[in-house]
């Protein structure tokens, strides 16, 4: 089942403030080191000395805000031995806490590391696209909190048709899970299929 909703992230607007990350953490009272949304700082490039002694550079940096992408081919669902992690009737990937045994297979198999073990609850947890808010026709808290309006959400078919599935480093190539995430790439962004060395700073809070 395809997701009815997709996240949209405009990397040209994101300034790495982490307001989305903090708003999500506050709304769901998440403990230390459990973050449903993360902001990666992607940097690369180098400086080069020229024959005349001057320097040139191809240094770049951009930010990418990512949570669970509620993929069309979710590896977390395939890896779950109890069926706790599953796609619901709205196409969202969710976790049934009553069936979760905390084996962490879902997290180990998700290339985005979206599912996270909550020590306090003793089961896996993850972004559910603010399902309760969606049921009330309200936007996810991360979308509302972004001061630069770099985050949005909408119908999957519409966003993917306009922007394509996210295929930007440091994310894995989109063909692996078919993520329901559309990204307007930064002018310096690097495709996920390149071999460029990147540093993705995913700060824990």
């Amino acid at each position: 089942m395809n997701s009815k909703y997709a996240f949209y992230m405009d990397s040209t607007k994101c300034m790495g403030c982490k307001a989305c990350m903090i708003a999500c953490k506050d709304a769901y009272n998440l403990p230390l080191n459990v973050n449903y949304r993360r902001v990666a700082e992607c940097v690369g490039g180098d400086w080069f000395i020229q024959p005349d002694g001057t320097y040139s550079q191809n240094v770049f940096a951009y930010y990418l805000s990512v949570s669970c992408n509620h993929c069309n081919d979710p590896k977390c669902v395939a890896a779950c031995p109890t069926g706790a992690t599953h796609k619901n009737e709205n196409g969202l990937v969710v976790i049934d806490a009553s069936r979760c045994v905390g084996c962490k297979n879902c997290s180990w198999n998700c290339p985005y590391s979206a599912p996270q073990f909550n020590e306090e609850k003793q089961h896996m947890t993850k972004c559910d696209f603010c399902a309760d808010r969606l049921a009330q026709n309200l936007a996810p808290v991360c979308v509302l909190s972004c001061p630069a309006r770099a985050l949005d959400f909408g119908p999957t078919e519409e966003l993917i048709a306009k922007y394509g599935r996210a295929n930007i480093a440091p994310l894995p190539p989109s063909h692996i899970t078919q993520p329901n995430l559309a990204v307007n790439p930064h002018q310096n962004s690097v495709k996920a299929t390149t071999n460029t060395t990147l540093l993705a700073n995913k700060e824990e809070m």
Side-chain angles (χ1 to χ4, degrees):
M1 179 189 298
N2 293 345
S3 176
K4 294 181 180 179
Y5 299 102
F7 277 118
Y8 167 68
M9 198 268 161
D10 188 341
S11 191
T12 68
K13 294 181 178 179
C14 182
M15 53 189 174
C17 70
K18 297 184 174 69
C20 55
M21 183 174 167
I22 295 170
C24 175
K25 196 171 185 73
D26 178 63
Y28 294 99
N29 194 29
L30 301 181
L32 184 67
N33 295 327
V34 175
N35 299 296
Y36 293 169
R37 180 168 285 279
R38 300 174 183 179
V39 178
E41 180 182 13
C42 311
V43 300
D46 207 345
W47 287 81
F48 308 94
I49 189 168
Q50 303 301 315
D52 62 359
T54 60
Y55 283 83
S56 63
Q57 53 85 18
N58 61 358
V59 175
F60 64 87
Y62 59 91
Y63 297 98
L64 197 63
S65 176
V66 182
S67 67
C68 174
N69 298 312
H70 303 277
C71 307
N72 287 348
D73 184 16
K75 304 307 178 186
C76 58
V77 171
C80 181
T82 67
T85 304
H86 63 283
K87 266 186 170 291
N88 67 13
E89 63 277 6
N90 291 321
L92 302 178
V93 177
V94 296
I95 297 175
D96 181 347
S98 67
R99 300 174 68 181
C100 179
V101 294
C103 67
K104 303 181 183 179
N105 276 357
C106 54
S107 180
W108 293 334
N109 283 273
C110 172
Y112 304 98
S113 300
Q116 297 169 53
F117 186 72
N118 188 315
E119 292 283 354
E120 296 176 4
K121 296 182 177 180
Q122 285 297 296
H123 63 74
M124 303 304 294
T125 58
K126 59 180 287 298
C127 161
D128 66 358
F129 223 118
C130 288
D132 291 343
R133 294 180 60 82
L134 285 181
Q136 304 174 62
N137 294 317
L138 299 174
V141 292
C142 58
V143 171
L144 291 179
S145 69
C146 180
R149 299 296 183 262
L151 282 176
D152 204 351
F153 79 110
T156 295
E157 291 185 3
E158 178 182 318
L159 288 175
I160 298 302
K162 184 174 182 179
Y163 298 101
R165 297 190 188 282
N167 200 34
I168 175 176
L171 304 182
S174 61
H175 69 82
I176 297 175
T177 65
Q178 298 180 54
N180 288 301
L181 170 66
V183 173
N184 182 29
H186 189 275
Q187 63 180 3
N188 294 324
S189 63
V190 179
K191 289 185 178 180
T193 53
T194 68
N195 294 320
T196 301
T197 300
L198 294 173
L199 169 63
N201 177 21
K202 297 183 178 179
E203 180 179 347
E204 298 296 338
M205 300 180 70

